[in-house]
């Protein structure tokens, strides 16, 4: 779907959630999930400011980013607290 319509929000949100879940399993780092997810979420929130799933994921990712910035030691434990991973 993304190949046909790169702006299709449900597919992009699904991809962002998948990266978060991959971080939970250790397949990718939490930092990698953040690095990939935030750039996809920002345009969705701009285009659809009332999209509840986009807003929830954006809040989750920003919270994760701020925690990593303030205490890099949380990287290993953050997936336990990362709401998008539940």
């Amino acid at each position: 779907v993304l190949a046909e319509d790169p702006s299709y929000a449900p597919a992009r949100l699904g991809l962002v959630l998948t990266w978060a879940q991959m971080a939970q399993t250790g397949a990718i780092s939490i930092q990698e999930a953040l690095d990939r997810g935030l750039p996809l979420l920002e345009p969705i929130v701009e285009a659809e400011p009332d999209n509840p799933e986009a807003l929830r994921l954006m809040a989750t990712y920003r919270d994760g980013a701020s925690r990593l910035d303030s205490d890099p030691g949380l990287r290993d434990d953050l997936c336990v607290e990362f709401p998008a991973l539940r």
Side-chain angles (χ1 to χ4, degrees), residues 19-85:
W19 287 328
Q21 291 168 338
M22 289 175 67
Q24 181 185 28
T25 67
I28 63 173
S29 70
I30 292 170
Q31 185 64 54
E32 185 175 355
L34 291 168
D35 291 345
R36 290 180 176 195
L38 283 173
L40 283 180
L41 284 170
E42 289 168 348
I44 295 170
V45 171
E46 277 185 33
E48 301 178 29
D50 295 329
N51 183 317
E53 183 66 10
L55 293 173
R56 183 184 70 80
L57 283 169
M58 180 62 84
T60 298
Y61 269 65
R62 285 196 173 155
D63 179 57
S66 68
R67 288 178 185 215
L68 288 178
D69 287 344
S70 66
D71 185 357
L74 289 176
R75 280 184 172 85
D76 295 333
D77 298 328
L78 188 58
C79 63
V80 174
E81 302 175 41
F82 215 64
L85 300 175

